[in-house]
Amino acid sequence: MRRSRTEPLAEDPPASHPSALEQENRLLQARLAALTEEVGRNDSLLCKTQERELELLRAGSLMQLFERLIEGLRSSYQLDEVALILHDPQHEIRHLLSSTRW
């Protein structure tokens, strides 16, 4: 049995719904724009995190590491104060800091 040329195929989108396709296109474009914006924010956050990590790695002493860690947190989150509390039951950190010249 042959079909006439005017009969649409089952796979063809209905011709009566171009507005539905346009609406779907607008939704997809909006989603793409939102994802692109999120990628930009994530990229910026990654760069800032990498900069902070490099700054910590440049510390020449344990005391500099603590100072950079505290100052980095204070400035990143615009805090008035930051306290670093270390659990040091064997006093290893205390000994390292006391042997360091200020």
Side-chain angles (χ1 to χ4, degrees):
M1 176 176 177
R2 287 182 74 156
R3 296 181 335 159
S4 69
R5 294 183 108 183
T6 59
E7 184 180 330
L9 295 173
E11 299 85 28
D12 290 345
S16 62
H17 298 301
S19 64
L21 292 176
E22 290 170 353
Q23 182 180 8
E24 182 180 5
N25 188 23
R26 283 191 297 276
L27 290 172
L28 290 172
Q29 286 176 344
R31 179 72 176 138
L32 179 60
L35 289 172
T36 301
E37 185 178 321
E38 187 174 342
V39 165
R41 285 192 306 268
N42 287 344
D43 188 51
S44 176
L45 182 59
L46 174 65
C47 288
K48 287 179 184 179
T49 301
Q50 288 174 335
E51 288 172 13
R52 289 197 62 210
E53 289 174 351
L54 289 173
E55 182 65 24
L56 294 174
L57 289 170
R58 287 187 199 106
S61 68
L62 186 58
M63 188 52 131
Q64 278 185 349
L65 176 65
F66 292 157
E67 289 169 352
R68 291 175 184 199
L69 180 64
I70 290 168
E71 179 56 30
L73 289 171
R74 193 188 65 70
S75 65
S76 291
Y77 297 102
Q78 290 127 15
L79 302 171
D80 293 332
E81 291 185 36
V82 173
L84 178 62
I85 300 171
L86 302 170
H87 181 68
D88 188 23
Q90 305 301 321
H91 307 289
E92 294 168 353
I93 296 172
R94 182 181 300 187
H95 293 302
L96 287 171
L97 290 174
S98 66
S99 66
T100 305
R101 292 186 179 205
W102 301 83

